[in-house]
Amino acid sequence: MDIAALLLVCGAIFSIATLQSNLSRTERRIARVERKLDLVLDHLGLHEELPRGDEIAGLLREGRKVQAIKVYREVTGAGLVEAKEAVERMA
């Protein structure tokens, strides 16, 4: 019984590691596609209009960078690091 439980735990650990590897690979592929899409949009002179962009710019002018990052995250669903970098580019 102990060997069966051990094998089950090992199998679960292996499955989780494989899943994490696949997710990591997928995230890298998505990031590459996003970079390529950004290059195409830049080449065509198209820019995605940011909803509530005026509000974010106003918060930056007032020196409320943290609040601007929060609004950016709400609007885009971006992570903290991505939102911080985007807001800093806007400043």
Side-chain angles (χ1 to χ4, degrees):
M1 185 75 161
D2 290 333
I3 293 175
L6 181 62
L7 288 174
L8 183 61
V9 169
C10 288
I13 291 172
F14 178 74
S15 296
I16 291 170
T18 301
L19 181 61
Q20 286 179 333
S21 173
N22 288 341
L23 286 174
S24 178
R25 190 173 341 153
T26 300
E27 288 172 351
R28 286 191 308 268
R29 290 181 71 200
I30 289 171
R32 274 197 318 268
V33 169
E34 287 177 340
R35 282 192 302 272
K36 290 176 182 179
L37 182 57
D38 287 342
L39 289 171
V40 169
L41 290 173
D42 285 343
H43 179 72
L44 295 174
L46 301 173
H47 300 283
E48 181 181 2
E49 187 169 324
L50 180 65
R52 296 174 63 184
D54 293 336
E55 179 183 354
I56 294 169
L59 290 168
L60 285 171
R61 280 192 300 275
E62 295 171 4
R64 298 173 59 196
K65 182 177 172 182
V66 172
Q67 186 63 30
I69 292 170
K70 287 181 182 179
V71 172
Y72 185 91
R73 290 186 72 194
E74 289 173 9
V75 171
T76 64
L80 181 59
V81 173
E82 181 184 352
K84 181 180 179 289
E85 291 171 353
V87 167
E88 286 175 347
R89 283 192 304 267
M90 294 172 72

